[in-house]
């Protein structure tokens, strides 16, 4: 799982947003709170709503360098098809797994697609357009 992989390469995994995150002591925060099946009907429950607000504040847009936010697959709080509901959250980098989701059309930062998890025959069967990976590459920047 993602947490185990992060721990194996000595990436610090936190259970809550540090109180000093808004001051920018971190180069980057990996946003992987929700998966692609997230449905935001009825709002985002706590503590997740506050964490997303803290991530936005830590970016320091216009207030200096801030912290880069890197979202995995779909930014937290976004609908997989429609994009951001009402959080105002726009990460700096998006890493889509396997293929971009429809919500990525509304994303404005650097966008990478990673992982060849879908065999070509399955992609063809379901009409999934795969990135133009070169050779044995596992990542493609759109």
């Amino acid at each position: 799982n993602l947490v185990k992989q992060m721990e194996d390469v000595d990436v610090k995994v936190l259970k809550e947003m540090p109180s000093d995150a808004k001051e920018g002591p971190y180069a980057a925060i990996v946003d992987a709170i929700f998966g692609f099946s997230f449905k935001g009907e009825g709002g985002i429950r706590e503590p997740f709503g506050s964490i997303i607000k803290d991530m936005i504040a830590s970016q320091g847009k216009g207030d200096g360098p801030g912290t880069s936010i890197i979202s995995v697959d779909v930014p937290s709080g976004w609908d997989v098809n429609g994009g951001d509901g009402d959080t105002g959250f726009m990460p700096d980098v998006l890493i889509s797994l396997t293929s971009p989701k429809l919500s990525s059309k509304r994303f404005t930062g650097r966008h990478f697609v990673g992982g060849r998890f879908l065999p070509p025959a399955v992609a063809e069967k379901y009409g999934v357009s795969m990135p133009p990976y070169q050779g044995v590459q596992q990542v493609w920047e759109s």
Side-chain angles (χ1 to χ4, degrees), residues 8-131:
D8 286 348
V9 294
D10 295 325
V11 172
K12 193 176 195 179
V13 177
L14 306 175
K15 300 290 183 195
E16 58 187 35
M17 192 72 160
S19 61
D20 62 353
K22 292 179 193 172
E23 285 78 55
Y26 302 95
I29 295 173
V30 176
D31 160 40
I33 298 172
F34 301 120
F36 71 87
S37 61
F38 171 79
K39 302 276 186 277
E41 295 95 12
I44 299 171
R45 73 179 189 281
E46 291 301 328
F48 307 113
S50 294
I51 291 170
I52 291 171
K53 288 176 187 169
D54 287 345
M55 284 194 295
I56 293 168
S58 74
Q59 286 178 293
K61 305 278 185 184
D63 299 356
T67 301
S68 294
I69 306 296
I70 303 165
S71 290
V72 176
D73 216 19
V74 177
S76 290
W78 284 34
D79 176 81
V80 69
N81 295 319
D84 183 26
D86 59 2
T87 64
F89 179 45
M90 180 63 67
D92 301 285
V93 177
L94 174 61
I95 302 172
S96 294
L97 302 178
T98 304
S99 68
K101 312 310 178 270
L102 287 176
S103 59
S104 69
K105 290 181 178 181
R106 292 189 164 85
F107 177 69
T108 59
R110 283 186 82 181
H111 186 199
F112 296 87
V113 179
R116 292 184 177 196
F117 308 116
L118 198 59
V122 174
E124 185 176 322
K125 177 179 178 180
Y126 292 101
V128 176
S129 178
M130 297 302 290

